Amino acid sequence: MVNKSLNIIELSSLIWKNKVLLLAFSFMVAGFFAVYSISIPNKYSSNSVLYSKNEDVQNTNNFPLSGLSNFAGFGISVSDSDSLINLSIEATKSKDFFEFLIDKNDNLLPLLNAVKRFDKNSDTLIFDENVYKNKKFIKKDKNFFINSYKNYLSSFSIELDNTTNHVKLTTYHQSPYTAKFLLDLYKENINYYIRDLKLDDAKKAIVFYKKELASLKNPVLMENISMRILSELQTEFAAGTSNDFVFSYIDSPRVNHKKVGPPRAIITIFGFIIGFIFSLIYVLFKRAKEKYT
């Protein structure tokens, strides 16, 4: 205990004697971190709460022949675990959906890859002309799609409340206006994307069931097949009559001018701590060298 106390006292004394060096270096490193944090563009967010009106449109558990569609390979939703909401959330994170978005909107790739900064005075985006000029990318490397996809994933977060089945969708961008634009774009197109998938599944299933129905003679089986056909027709009807096939807004997005990042104060404090640690290591190393040489 005595040695430990002496060591602590010695360390405290060493820090006090070198306080000017320690503080000067710590503030210098903190200054570098502060300058770096200023160079990071502001980031804004837009958020909304979504709900699904058609979550159970593909839930066919009540039909005895639910395994038939799996056997046929149509990918029809036939179990509680195959929720339309969960399917949509996972699809939103997929490369296939990202590719679907690119095809639907020419502005998405520049917004994800080429923005240099947002001009608050004119409320306009400034693009990096070394990357994107005259509405064309200067060059695209072999990983352009994958890198764009990574930027896409970092542009939003999507969370499911398992209690209410409501979904919170939040988007992030250097421009508050673009953040809202991206949220509307993602929400609208996931509806179209899932609608097209389910519509295609329903059409294939109807063809299959009608073919099976023509070859059956058992009245019970015929009734069950007819019910499955009716279920798929309901899916077709829902897909054809609703733009919000999966998600509708409970709380629609707004333009929010309050930035959510970067945390410049935290970055600066972190820089000060790093500077203090490295300067303390230097002082201790110098002290040990003087003591043992």
Side-chain angles (χ1 to χ4, degrees), residues 53-186:
K53 293 183 294 185
N54 298 305
E55 179 186 0
D56 297 322
V57 72
Q58 290 292 340
N59 186 8
T60 55
N61 287 312
N62 295 326
F63 297 112
L65 296 182
S66 60
L68 192 58
S69 60
N70 284 337
F71 178 77
F74 291 126
I76 305 298
S77 176
V78 295
S79 68
D80 288 332
S81 62
D82 193 13
S83 163
L84 199 60
I85 293 177
N86 288 324
L87 172 63
S88 302
I89 290 174
E90 292 307 311
T92 304
K93 303 174 185 176
S94 70
K95 296 182 184 69
D96 289 342
F97 177 63
F98 176 56
E99 198 165 28
F100 178 84
L101 280 173
I102 294 172
D103 292 337
K104 291 291 182 180
N105 195 292
D106 296 334
N107 295 319
L108 182 58
L109 285 177
L111 290 173
L112 294 175
N113 295 310
V115 174
K116 187 175 183 179
R117 63 185 179 86
F118 172 67
D119 188 339
K120 289 183 179 180
N121 295 325
S122 60
D123 284 341
T124 57
L125 285 171
I126 309 299
F127 290 94
D128 187 347
E129 293 190 351
N130 294 320
V131 177
Y132 184 76
K133 191 174 183 179
N134 298 325
K135 296 186 177 182
K136 289 184 179 180
F137 283 94
I138 304 301
K139 60 179 179 179
K140 295 182 180 180
D141 59 25
K142 293 180 179 179
N143 288 322
F144 180 78
F145 177 82
I146 296 299
N147 292 332
S148 300
Y149 172 67
K150 290 178 180 178
N151 291 336
Y152 161 71
L153 289 180
S154 66
S155 73
F156 75 95
S157 66
I158 185 166
E159 302 172 5
L160 172 64
D161 186 328
N162 291 314
T163 304
T164 63
N165 265 5
H166 294 162
V167 174
K168 182 179 180 181
L169 177 61
T170 305
T171 49
Y172 307 94
H173 200 266
Q174 292 95 317
S175 161
Y177 300 99
T178 304
K180 180 185 179 301
F181 166 78
L182 290 178
L183 199 153
D184 286 327
L185 180 70
Y186 297 167

Side-chain angles (χ1 to χ4, degrees), residues 1-6:
M1 288 295 294
V2 174
N3 288 336
K4 288 184 178 180
S5 298
L6 289 174

